[in-house]
Amino acid sequence: MTPIDRRRALRTGAGAAAAGALATSCADGGRAPTPARSAVTPSAGAAARPAARPPAAPAPRRHPGRPAQISHGPTDRDRVALTFHGAGDPAVARAVLTETERAGARITVLAVGTWLDEYPEMARRILDGGHDLGNHTLNHVSVNELPEAEAYAEITGCADRLRRLTGSIGTWFRPSRTRTATPLVVRLAQRAGYPHVLSYDLDSLDATSPGAAAVTRTVAGQIHRGSVVSLHFGYADTVAALPALLDDLHRRGLRAVTTTELLS
């Protein structure tokens, strides 16, 4: 698909979603409409079939030879990982997912627990798109600065929500409001079931709302094989930057994959 196609799709679909993020949220909280009931009545005595449960999401994996805190992947393969802090208006989040999927890219989403409380359907939407889903603490506080018990509660609180929604605590843990975790937070994450903490080696600075072109320039100017890029849901600049960013990766022969795939 050409860059023009993706920009047109972004203007007509994701652009409307991003505008909604800056106005008021939908009355239904962004959830899909309830399907109409069938007019066909089951025959008398027919047993209702229980709804099939979706498969459990992938669990954390240990990656032999990798440190407890990972900031990048192998530099000998044409792969990079685009990782997103998961919070914000779900319409904008869906626009990010749609745009990356349209380009054949897969991403890693580190979800905030309270965001999952508010928009529980997003967990399955992320997984159904073939993306990684992980833990970004319960309340998105400065986890490195908390006492041990409170920091552990932040990690396990989000893990519990992921488990309830997906059957797994997620594939990754990323500390909130910091690029790297302290040794204590690394140990607490491992106690909670995460063999590795996920950091990054490239900050897009999209959370500063510098404009779509600046986000693209920052990432394009620093990305290399094995990069783990920090991006965010919830920012219109990020959505608008994606077509050019993904086109740039394609031209350079770099494939955006999940962090699990990057390290496998």
Side-chain angles (χ1 to χ4, degrees), residues 46-110:
R49 294 183 179 178
R53 291 179 62 85
R61 290 171 46 186
R62 185 175 299 279
H63 295 270
R66 294 287 164 189
Q69 190 153 203
I70 294 172
S71 61
H72 62 84
T75 58
D76 59 349
R77 291 182 290 180
D78 295 323
R79 297 177 180 177
V80 297
L82 305 181
T83 68
F84 287 78
H85 302 241
D89 191 311
V92 182
R94 290 191 188 96
V96 170
L97 295 168
T98 298
E99 185 62 25
T100 55
E101 290 160 10
R102 184 179 291 119
R106 295 295 178 264
I107 65 175
T108 300
V109 179
L110 294 313

Side-chain angles (χ1 to χ4, degrees), residues 233-254:
F233 279 173
Y235 290 86
D237 287 351
T238 309
V239 183
L242 279 173
L245 174 55
L246 294 167
D247 288 340
D248 180 74
L249 295 181
H250 178 73
R251 284 193 300 269
R252 294 162 68 168
L254 295 173

Side-chain angles (χ1 to χ4, degrees), residues 25-190:
S25 60
C26 297
D28 64 358
R31 292 173 175 78
T34 303
R37 293 180 179 273
S38 171
V40 179
T41 303
S43 58
R49 294 183 179 178
R53 291 179 62 85
R61 290 171 46 186
R62 185 175 299 279
H63 295 270
R66 294 287 164 189
Q69 190 153 203
I70 294 172
S71 61
H72 62 84
T75 58
D76 59 349
R77 291 182 290 180
D78 295 323
R79 297 177 180 177
V80 297
L82 305 181
T83 68
F84 287 78
H85 302 241
D89 191 311
V92 182
R94 290 191 188 96
V96 170
L97 295 168
T98 298
E99 185 62 25
T100 55
E101 290 160 10
R102 184 179 291 119
R106 295 295 178 264
I107 65 175
T108 300
V109 179
L110 294 313
V112 175
T114 52
W115 185 68
L116 294 174
D117 285 341
E118 192 169 2
Y119 307 108
E121 72 280 1
M122 288 305 302
R124 186 51 56 181
R125 169 63 185 88
I126 292 163
L127 292 171
D128 287 347
H131 310 289
D132 270 359
L133 177 62
N135 179 331
H136 196 38
T137 73
L138 179 58
N139 294 293
H140 201 258
V141 294
S142 297
V143 66
N144 280 349
E145 300 175 10
L146 295 178
E148 179 173 344
E150 293 179 28
Y152 189 60
E154 281 291 323
I155 299 169
T156 57
C158 186
D160 289 344
R161 283 152 175 80
L162 287 165
R163 185 187 294 107
R164 184 173 66 248
L165 291 170
T166 72
S168 161
I169 63 172
T171 47
W172 299 98
F173 168 72
R174 171 171 286 170
S176 47
R177 298 191 180 277
T178 180
R179 187 169 190 151
T180 58
T182 61
L184 171 62
V185 171
V186 171
R187 291 196 301 273
L188 295 177
Q190 291 173 335

